[in-house]
mmCIF file of all heavy atoms in Angstrom:
data_model
loop_
_atom_site.group_PDB
_atom_site.id
_atom_site.type_symbol
_atom_site.label_atom_id
_atom_site.label_comp_id
_atom_site.label_asym_id
_atom_site.label_seq_id
_atom_site.Cartn_x
_atom_site.Cartn_y
_atom_site.Cartn_z
ATOM 1 N N GLU R 1 2.160 10.113 -13.395
ATOM 2 C CA GLU R 1 1.947 11.225 -14.334
ATOM 3 C C GLU R 1 2.849 12.377 -14.167
ATOM 4 O O GLU R 1 3.132 13.152 -15.107
ATOM 5 C CB GLU R 1 0.441 11.712 -14.096
ATOM 6 C CG GLU R 1 -0.644 10.714 -14.517
ATOM 7 C CD GLU R 1 -1.962 10.946 -13.834
ATOM 8 O OE1 GLU R 1 -2.145 12.063 -13.197
ATOM 9 O OE2 GLU R 1 -2.811 10.094 -13.903
ATOM 10 N N ARG R 2 3.310 12.652 -12.931
ATOM 11 C CA ARG R 2 3.993 13.815 -12.564
ATOM 12 C C ARG R 2 5.435 13.702 -13.113
ATOM 13 O O ARG R 2 6.158 12.786 -12.686
ATOM 14 C CB ARG R 2 3.986 14.075 -11.047
ATOM 15 C CG ARG R 2 4.822 15.214 -10.550
ATOM 16 C CD ARG R 2 4.159 16.529 -10.943
ATOM 17 N NE ARG R 2 4.794 17.636 -10.190
ATOM 18 C CZ ARG R 2 4.893 18.885 -10.619
ATOM 19 N NH1 ARG R 2 4.375 19.219 -11.820
ATOM 20 N NH2 ARG R 2 5.400 19.817 -9.886
ATOM 21 N N VAL R 3 5.841 14.600 -14.108
ATOM 22 C CA VAL R 3 7.223 14.521 -14.687
ATOM 23 C C VAL R 3 7.948 15.658 -14.061
ATOM 24 O O VAL R 3 7.637 16.871 -14.172
ATOM 25 C CB VAL R 3 7.104 14.573 -16.209
ATOM 26 C CG1 VAL R 3 8.458 14.642 -16.802
ATOM 27 C CG2 VAL R 3 6.393 13.337 -16.757
ATOM 28 N N LEU R 4 9.154 15.267 -13.504
ATOM 29 C CA LEU R 4 10.101 16.319 -13.028
ATOM 30 C C LEU R 4 11.513 15.746 -13.492
ATOM 31 O O LEU R 4 11.732 14.557 -13.461
ATOM 32 C CB LEU R 4 10.102 16.369 -11.561
ATOM 33 C CG LEU R 4 8.884 17.202 -10.950
ATOM 34 C CD1 LEU R 4 8.998 17.146 -9.444
ATOM 35 C CD2 LEU R 4 9.067 18.743 -11.345
ATOM 36 N N PHE R 5 12.393 16.707 -13.828
ATOM 37 C CA PHE R 5 13.712 16.356 -14.366
ATOM 38 C C PHE R 5 13.594 15.223 -15.457
ATOM 39 O O PHE R 5 14.292 14.260 -15.517
ATOM 40 C CB PHE R 5 14.585 15.845 -13.229
ATOM 41 C CG PHE R 5 14.725 16.809 -12.023
ATOM 42 C CD1 PHE R 5 14.051 16.492 -10.879
ATOM 43 C CD2 PHE R 5 15.370 17.999 -12.107
ATOM 44 C CE1 PHE R 5 14.085 17.453 -9.802
ATOM 45 C CE2 PHE R 5 15.467 18.856 -11.157
ATOM 46 C CZ PHE R 5 14.838 18.649 -9.933
ATOM 47 N N GLU R 6 12.550 15.448 -16.366
ATOM 48 C CA GLU R 6 12.408 14.713 -17.536
ATOM 49 C C GLU R 6 12.053 13.226 -17.280
ATOM 50 O O GLU R 6 12.427 12.368 -18.159
ATOM 51 C CB GLU R 6 13.587 14.817 -18.509
ATOM 52 C CG GLU R 6 13.784 16.267 -18.916
ATOM 53 C CD GLU R 6 15.140 16.458 -19.718
ATOM 54 O OE1 GLU R 6 15.685 15.450 -20.149
ATOM 55 O OE2 GLU R 6 15.394 17.618 -19.993
ATOM 56 N N ARG R 7 11.514 12.933 -16.060
ATOM 57 C CA ARG R 7 11.126 11.509 -15.848
ATOM 58 C C ARG R 7 9.992 11.567 -14.802
ATOM 59 O O ARG R 7 9.872 12.430 -13.967
ATOM 60 C CB ARG R 7 12.279 10.706 -15.202
ATOM 61 C CG ARG R 7 12.914 11.397 -14.029
ATOM 62 C CD ARG R 7 14.254 10.872 -13.564
ATOM 63 N NE ARG R 7 14.083 9.746 -12.726
ATOM 64 C CZ ARG R 7 14.986 8.714 -12.679
ATOM 65 N NH1 ARG R 7 15.980 8.713 -13.510
ATOM 66 N NH2 ARG R 7 14.765 7.791 -11.758
ATOM 67 N N PRO R 8 9.108 10.539 -14.894
ATOM 68 C CA PRO R 8 8.003 10.470 -13.908
ATOM 69 C C PRO R 8 8.659 10.315 -12.505
ATOM 70 O O PRO R 8 9.566 9.445 -12.334
ATOM 71 C CB PRO R 8 7.133 9.251 -14.257
ATOM 72 C CG PRO R 8 8.037 8.444 -15.159
ATOM 73 C CD PRO R 8 9.067 9.427 -15.912
ATOM 74 N N ILE R 9 8.066 11.017 -11.522
ATOM 75 C CA ILE R 9 8.644 10.917 -10.207
ATOM 76 C C ILE R 9 8.483 9.526 -9.643
ATOM 77 O O ILE R 9 9.268 9.010 -8.779
ATOM 78 C CB ILE R 9 7.988 11.926 -9.153
ATOM 79 C CG1 ILE R 9 6.463 11.701 -9.025
ATOM 80 C CG2 ILE R 9 8.254 13.347 -9.578
ATOM 81 C CD1 ILE R 9 5.833 12.533 -7.925
ATOM 82 N N GLY R 10 7.611 8.716 -10.169
ATOM 83 C CA GLY R 10 7.357 7.370 -9.704
ATOM 84 C C GLY R 10 8.545 6.425 -10.048
ATOM 85 O O GLY R 10 8.605 5.352 -9.604
ATOM 86 N N LYS R 11 9.479 6.923 -10.923
ATOM 87 C CA LYS R 11 10.673 6.118 -11.164
ATOM 88 C C LYS R 11 11.621 6.142 -10.007
ATOM 89 O O LYS R 11 12.522 5.323 -9.947
ATOM 90 C CB LYS R 11 11.416 6.734 -12.357
ATOM 91 C CG LYS R 11 11.155 5.938 -13.667
ATOM 92 C CD LYS R 11 12.085 6.482 -14.746
ATOM 93 C CE LYS R 11 12.016 5.434 -15.949
ATOM 94 N NZ LYS R 11 12.954 5.906 -17.023
ATOM 95 N N ASN R 12 11.445 7.155 -9.124
ATOM 96 C CA ASN R 12 12.373 7.302 -8.028
ATOM 97 C C ASN R 12 12.066 6.494 -6.778
ATOM 98 O O ASN R 12 10.895 6.455 -6.401
ATOM 99 C CB ASN R 12 12.450 8.794 -7.629
ATOM 100 C CG ASN R 12 12.871 9.701 -8.730
ATOM 101 O OD1 ASN R 12 13.781 9.446 -9.502
ATOM 102 N ND2 ASN R 12 12.053 10.805 -8.842
ATOM 103 N N GLN R 13 12.991 5.684 -6.298
ATOM 104 C CA GLN R 13 12.739 4.795 -5.143
ATOM 105 C C GLN R 13 12.272 5.645 -3.950
ATOM 106 O O GLN R 13 11.503 5.186 -3.143
ATOM 107 C CB GLN R 13 13.979 3.994 -4.889
ATOM 108 C CG GLN R 13 14.253 2.953 -5.993
ATOM 109 C CD GLN R 13 15.355 1.986 -5.655
ATOM 110 O OE1 GLN R 13 16.255 2.284 -4.850
ATOM 111 N NE2 GLN R 13 15.432 0.873 -6.263
ATOM 112 N N GLY R 14 12.756 6.917 -3.893
ATOM 113 C CA GLY R 14 12.367 7.694 -2.701
ATOM 114 C C GLY R 14 10.890 7.995 -2.768
ATOM 115 O O GLY R 14 10.188 8.232 -1.736
ATOM 116 N N VAL R 15 10.229 7.827 -3.918
ATOM 117 C CA VAL R 15 8.823 8.040 -4.165
ATOM 118 C C VAL R 15 8.175 6.701 -4.023
ATOM 119 O O VAL R 15 7.103 6.493 -3.470
ATOM 120 C CB VAL R 15 8.449 8.840 -5.401
ATOM 121 C CG1 VAL R 15 6.990 8.777 -5.642
ATOM 122 C CG2 VAL R 15 8.949 10.232 -5.344
ATOM 123 N N GLN R 16 8.736 5.711 -4.668
ATOM 124 C CA GLN R 16 8.181 4.343 -4.778
ATOM 125 C C GLN R 16 7.951 3.700 -3.382
ATOM 126 O O GLN R 16 6.993 3.147 -3.050
ATOM 127 C CB GLN R 16 9.060 3.421 -5.592
ATOM 128 C CG GLN R 16 9.003 3.649 -7.090
ATOM 129 C CD GLN R 16 9.993 2.661 -7.863
ATOM 130 O OE1 GLN R 16 10.646 1.854 -7.143
ATOM 131 N NE2 GLN R 16 9.980 2.728 -9.091
ATOM 132 N N PHE R 17 9.113 3.757 -2.608
ATOM 133 C CA PHE R 17 9.177 2.947 -1.397
ATOM 134 C C PHE R 17 8.032 3.305 -0.368
ATOM 135 O O PHE R 17 7.394 2.414 0.220
ATOM 136 C CB PHE R 17 10.605 3.020 -0.766
ATOM 137 C CG PHE R 17 11.614 2.195 -1.499
ATOM 138 C CD1 PHE R 17 11.338 1.584 -2.753
ATOM 139 C CD2 PHE R 17 12.901 2.131 -1.034
ATOM 140 C CE1 PHE R 17 12.320 0.878 -3.367
ATOM 141 C CE2 PHE R 17 13.902 1.442 -1.737
ATOM 142 C CZ PHE R 17 13.551 0.770 -2.887
ATOM 143 N N PRO R 18 7.866 4.590 -0.162
ATOM 144 C CA PRO R 18 6.768 4.913 0.861
ATOM 145 C C PRO R 18 5.359 4.347 0.353
ATOM 146 O O PRO R 18 4.534 3.961 1.106
ATOM 147 C CB PRO R 18 6.830 6.442 0.877
ATOM 148 C CG PRO R 18 8.174 6.753 0.543
ATOM 149 C CD PRO R 18 8.527 5.754 -0.498
ATOM 150 N N ILE R 19 5.148 4.413 -0.978
ATOM 151 C CA ILE R 19 3.947 3.938 -1.516
ATOM 152 C C ILE R 19 3.774 2.395 -1.290
ATOM 153 O O ILE R 19 2.752 1.901 -0.883
ATOM 154 C CB ILE R 19 3.679 4.275 -3.022
ATOM 155 C CG1 ILE R 19 3.745 5.826 -3.235
ATOM 156 C CG2 ILE R 19 2.257 3.867 -3.504
ATOM 157 C CD1 ILE R 19 3.738 6.285 -4.721
ATOM 158 N N ALA R 20 4.875 1.767 -1.638
ATOM 159 C CA ALA R 20 4.886 0.226 -1.473
ATOM 160 C C ALA R 20 4.692 -0.094 0.035
ATOM 161 O O ALA R 20 3.994 -1.083 0.336
ATOM 162 C CB ALA R 20 6.188 -0.297 -2.028
ATOM 163 N N ARG R 21 5.431 0.659 0.899
ATOM 164 C CA ARG R 21 5.232 0.271 2.344
ATOM 165 C C ARG R 21 3.806 0.512 2.751
ATOM 166 O O ARG R 21 3.273 -0.235 3.581
ATOM 167 C CB ARG R 21 6.214 1.189 3.062
ATOM 168 C CG ARG R 21 6.207 0.857 4.583
ATOM 169 C CD ARG R 21 7.298 1.623 5.344
ATOM 170 N NE ARG R 21 8.594 1.229 5.024
ATOM 171 C CZ ARG R 21 9.181 0.121 5.564
ATOM 172 N NH1 ARG R 21 8.573 -0.638 6.496
ATOM 173 N NH2 ARG R 21 10.462 -0.149 5.206
ATOM 174 N N ALA R 22 3.250 1.626 2.312
ATOM 175 C CA ALA R 22 1.777 1.958 2.742
ATOM 176 C C ALA R 22 0.884 0.730 2.204
ATOM 177 O O ALA R 22 -0.077 0.350 2.906
ATOM 178 C CB ALA R 22 1.395 3.239 2.194
ATOM 179 N N TYR R 23 1.159 0.289 1.047
ATOM 180 C CA TYR R 23 0.353 -0.821 0.503
ATOM 181 C C TYR R 23 0.470 -2.055 1.321
ATOM 182 O O TYR R 23 -0.540 -2.712 1.661
ATOM 183 C CB TYR R 23 0.836 -1.158 -0.951
ATOM 184 C CG TYR R 23 0.027 -2.263 -1.536
ATOM 185 C CD1 TYR R 23 -1.303 -2.089 -1.975
ATOM 186 C CD2 TYR R 23 0.606 -3.570 -1.693
ATOM 187 C CE1 TYR R 23 -2.033 -3.145 -2.568
ATOM 188 C CE2 TYR R 23 -0.088 -4.672 -2.197
ATOM 189 C CZ TYR R 23 -1.431 -4.423 -2.632
ATOM 190 O OH TYR R 23 -2.122 -5.471 -3.082
ATOM 191 N N ALA R 24 1.736 -2.419 1.624
ATOM 192 C CA ALA R 24 1.902 -3.642 2.487
ATOM 193 C C ALA R 24 1.211 -3.476 3.869
ATOM 194 O O ALA R 24 0.639 -4.386 4.389
ATOM 195 C CB ALA R 24 3.440 -3.867 2.675
ATOM 196 N N GLN R 25 1.380 -2.278 4.421
ATOM 197 C CA GLN R 25 0.665 -1.999 5.693
ATOM 198 C C GLN R 25 -0.801 -2.152 5.615
ATOM 199 O O GLN R 25 -1.508 -2.657 6.494
ATOM 200 C CB GLN R 25 1.143 -0.689 6.194
ATOM 201 C CG GLN R 25 0.907 -0.358 7.669
ATOM 202 C CD GLN R 25 1.381 1.039 8.162
ATOM 203 O OE1 GLN R 25 2.263 1.614 7.507
ATOM 204 N NE2 GLN R 25 1.019 1.430 9.341
ATOM 205 N N MET R 26 -1.323 -1.584 4.536
ATOM 206 C CA MET R 26 -2.787 -1.696 4.391
ATOM 207 C C MET R 26 -3.206 -3.146 4.147
ATOM 208 O O MET R 26 -4.255 -3.563 4.786
ATOM 209 C CB MET R 26 -3.190 -0.837 3.053
ATOM 210 C CG MET R 26 -4.710 -0.981 2.678
ATOM 211 S SD MET R 26 -5.145 -2.452 1.699
ATOM 212 C CE MET R 26 -4.292 -2.146 0.160
ATOM 213 N N ARG R 27 -2.438 -3.905 3.492
ATOM 214 C CA ARG R 27 -2.861 -5.268 3.244
ATOM 215 C C ARG R 27 -2.872 -6.069 4.592
ATOM 216 O O ARG R 27 -3.712 -6.933 4.801
ATOM 217 C CB ARG R 27 -1.961 -5.977 2.202
ATOM 218 C CG ARG R 27 -2.210 -5.534 0.731
ATOM 219 C CD ARG R 27 -3.467 -6.165 0.163
ATOM 220 N NE ARG R 27 -3.354 -7.548 -0.056
ATOM 221 C CZ ARG R 27 -4.135 -8.494 0.502
ATOM 222 N NH1 ARG R 27 -5.192 -8.122 1.196
ATOM 223 N NH2 ARG R 27 -3.959 -9.748 0.265
ATOM 224 N N ALA R 28 -1.872 -5.849 5.390
ATOM 225 C CA ALA R 28 -1.799 -6.595 6.678
ATOM 226 C C ALA R 28 -2.992 -6.177 7.539
ATOM 227 O O ALA R 28 -3.620 -7.014 8.121
ATOM 228 C CB ALA R 28 -0.525 -6.156 7.384
ATOM 229 N N ALA R 29 -3.319 -4.897 7.551
ATOM 230 C CA ALA R 29 -4.465 -4.402 8.371
ATOM 231 C C ALA R 29 -5.784 -4.995 7.772
ATOM 232 O O ALA R 29 -6.655 -5.422 8.574
ATOM 233 C CB ALA R 29 -4.541 -2.950 8.370
ATOM 234 N N GLU R 30 -5.861 -5.068 6.456
ATOM 235 C CA GLU R 30 -7.070 -5.664 5.810
ATOM 236 C C GLU R 30 -7.323 -7.061 6.244
ATOM 237 O O GLU R 30 -8.388 -7.511 6.461
ATOM 238 C CB GLU R 30 -6.878 -5.546 4.302
ATOM 239 C CG GLU R 30 -8.081 -6.001 3.477
ATOM 240 C CD GLU R 30 -7.921 -5.874 1.995
ATOM 241 O OE1 GLU R 30 -6.716 -6.133 1.539
ATOM 242 O OE2 GLU R 30 -8.823 -5.500 1.309
ATOM 243 N N LEU R 31 -6.172 -7.828 6.358
ATOM 244 C CA LEU R 31 -6.316 -9.251 6.787
ATOM 245 C C LEU R 31 -6.884 -9.268 8.209
ATOM 246 O O LEU R 31 -7.642 -10.163 8.552
ATOM 247 C CB LEU R 31 -4.975 -9.925 6.668
ATOM 248 C CG LEU R 31 -4.457 -10.273 5.301
ATOM 249 C CD1 LEU R 31 -2.975 -10.806 5.352
ATOM 250 C CD2 LEU R 31 -5.438 -11.214 4.529
ATOM 251 N N MET R 32 -6.433 -8.441 9.061
ATOM 252 C CA MET R 32 -6.971 -8.312 10.460
ATOM 253 C C MET R 32 -8.433 -8.000 10.478
ATOM 254 O O MET R 32 -9.243 -8.564 11.292
ATOM 255 C CB MET R 32 -6.147 -7.441 11.391
ATOM 256 C CG MET R 32 -6.589 -7.448 12.805
ATOM 257 S SD MET R 32 -6.708 -9.043 13.598
ATOM 258 C CE MET R 32 -4.968 -9.190 14.076
ATOM 259 N N VAL R 33 -8.863 -7.100 9.604
ATOM 260 C CA VAL R 33 -10.238 -6.779 9.441
ATOM 261 C C VAL R 33 -11.076 -7.997 9.085
ATOM 262 O O VAL R 33 -12.122 -8.305 9.559
ATOM 263 C CB VAL R 33 -10.472 -5.554 8.563
ATOM 264 C CG1 VAL R 33 -11.985 -5.303 8.456
ATOM 265 C CG2 VAL R 33 -9.822 -4.316 9.040
ATOM 266 N N HIS R 34 -10.537 -8.673 8.146
ATOM 267 C CA HIS R 34 -11.235 -9.934 7.621
ATOM 268 C C HIS R 34 -11.313 -10.934 8.786
ATOM 269 O O HIS R 34 -12.250 -11.618 8.904
ATOM 270 C CB HIS R 34 -10.476 -10.525 6.416
ATOM 271 C CG HIS R 34 -10.657 -9.737 5.135
ATOM 272 N ND1 HIS R 34 -9.963 -9.991 3.974
ATOM 273 C CD2 HIS R 34 -11.484 -8.687 4.895
ATOM 274 C CE1 HIS R 34 -10.350 -9.144 3.061
ATOM 275 N NE2 HIS R 34 -11.209 -8.309 3.584
ATOM 276 N N GLU R 35 -10.239 -11.112 9.569
ATOM 277 C CA GLU R 35 -10.214 -12.090 10.591
ATOM 278 C C GLU R 35 -11.286 -11.659 11.721
ATOM 279 O O GLU R 35 -12.010 -12.574 12.188
ATOM 280 C CB GLU R 35 -8.778 -12.176 11.283
ATOM 281 C CG GLU R 35 -8.638 -12.974 12.554
ATOM 282 C CD GLU R 35 -8.907 -14.454 12.264
ATOM 283 O OE1 GLU R 35 -9.251 -14.883 11.188
ATOM 284 O OE2 GLU R 35 -8.856 -15.180 13.310
ATOM 285 N N ALA R 36 -11.300 -10.426 12.019
ATOM 286 C CA ALA R 36 -12.326 -9.962 12.974
ATOM 287 C C ALA R 36 -13.766 -10.215 12.465
ATOM 288 O O ALA R 36 -14.593 -10.620 13.270
ATOM 289 C CB ALA R 36 -12.108 -8.444 13.330
ATOM 290 N N THR R 37 -13.994 -9.911 11.266
ATOM 291 C CA THR R 37 -15.310 -10.200 10.716
ATOM 292 C C THR R 37 -15.666 -11.684 10.700
ATOM 293 O O THR R 37 -16.813 -12.072 10.984
ATOM 294 C CB THR R 37 -15.550 -9.587 9.323
ATOM 295 O OG1 THR R 37 -14.491 -10.040 8.472
ATOM 296 C CG2 THR R 37 -15.575 -8.116 9.313
ATOM 297 N N ARG R 38 -14.651 -12.462 10.394
ATOM 298 C CA ARG R 38 -14.804 -13.921 10.289
ATOM 299 C C ARG R 38 -15.282 -14.482 11.786
ATOM 300 O O ARG R 38 -16.164 -15.207 11.841
ATOM 301 C CB ARG R 38 -13.536 -14.680 9.861
ATOM 302 C CG ARG R 38 -13.633 -16.095 9.699
ATOM 303 C CD ARG R 38 -12.296 -16.731 9.372
ATOM 304 N NE ARG R 38 -11.425 -16.701 10.534
ATOM 305 C CZ ARG R 38 -11.612 -17.565 11.610
ATOM 306 N NH1 ARG R 38 -12.542 -18.389 11.719
ATOM 307 N NH2 ARG R 38 -10.735 -17.390 12.603
ATOM 308 N N ARG R 39 -14.529 -13.989 12.688
ATOM 309 C CA ARG R 39 -14.761 -14.441 14.110
ATOM 310 C C ARG R 39 -16.194 -13.967 14.577
ATOM 311 O O ARG R 39 -16.893 -14.666 15.273
ATOM 312 C CB ARG R 39 -13.728 -13.970 15.033
ATOM 313 C CG ARG R 39 -12.376 -14.697 14.814
ATOM 314 C CD ARG R 39 -11.325 -14.150 15.859
ATOM 315 N NE ARG R 39 -11.678 -14.660 17.232
ATOM 316 C CZ ARG R 39 -11.121 -15.733 17.728
ATOM 317 N NH1 ARG R 39 -10.328 -16.525 17.043
ATOM 318 N NH2 ARG R 39 -11.450 -16.046 18.965
ATOM 319 N N TYR R 40 -16.464 -12.716 14.223
ATOM 320 C CA TYR R 40 -17.798 -12.090 14.514
ATOM 321 C C TYR R 40 -18.826 -12.929 13.930
ATOM 322 O O TYR R 40 -19.827 -13.297 14.644
ATOM 323 C CB TYR R 40 -17.837 -10.642 13.993
ATOM 324 C CG TYR R 40 -19.072 -9.941 14.311
ATOM 325 C CD1 TYR R 40 -19.085 -8.906 15.362
ATOM 326 C CD2 TYR R 40 -20.269 -10.061 13.569
ATOM 327 C CE1 TYR R 40 -20.214 -8.292 15.653
ATOM 328 C CE2 TYR R 40 -21.353 -9.304 13.914
ATOM 329 C CZ TYR R 40 -21.359 -8.445 14.865
ATOM 330 O OH TYR R 40 -22.439 -7.714 15.269
ATOM 331 N N GLU R 41 -18.749 -13.303 12.638
ATOM 332 C CA GLU R 41 -19.812 -14.017 12.016
ATOM 333 C C GLU R 41 -19.936 -15.487 12.532
ATOM 334 O O GLU R 41 -20.956 -16.097 12.407
ATOM 335 C CB GLU R 41 -19.621 -13.937 10.471
ATOM 336 C CG GLU R 41 -19.879 -12.631 9.941
ATOM 337 C CD GLU R 41 -19.496 -12.423 8.533
ATOM 338 O OE1 GLU R 41 -19.145 -13.351 7.799
ATOM 339 O OE2 GLU R 41 -19.624 -11.276 8.058
ATOM 340 N N ALA R 42 -18.805 -16.035 13.059
ATOM 341 C CA ALA R 42 -18.827 -17.365 13.611
ATOM 342 C C ALA R 42 -19.334 -17.362 15.037
ATOM 343 O O ALA R 42 -19.499 -18.456 15.594
ATOM 344 C CB ALA R 42 -17.421 -17.921 13.547
ATOM 345 N N GLY R 43 -19.591 -16.232 15.509
ATOM 346 C CA GLY R 43 -20.024 -16.135 16.939
ATOM 347 C C GLY R 43 -19.034 -16.365 17.975
ATOM 348 O O GLY R 43 -19.249 -16.562 19.198
#
């Protein structure tokens, strides 16, 4: 939504890349949470 220099800032890789990296990091951590719950429930 945020427009600067007549373009959304999300077009800039300097803005995109940190968001994409945070997403990848979250997904990896989410898998470990799922693995911990799976082992917990399996006893």
Side-chain angles (χ1 to χ4, degrees):
E1 292 159 11
R2 176 72 166 151
V3 174
L4 282 174
F5 306 108
E6 297 174 12
R7 54 193 274 147
I9 62 170
K11 261 193 171 182
N12 302 316
Q13 289 181 340
V15 172
Q16 287 181 356
F17 287 4
I19 304 175
R21 183 176 291 280
Y23 177 76
Q25 195 174 345
M26 176 278 291
R27 287 286 292 125
E30 184 180 39
L31 290 173
M32 181 55 85
V33 178
H34 287 173
E35 172 66 0
T37 51
R38 185 190 67 75
R39 291 181 69 96
Y40 183 99
E41 289 170 6

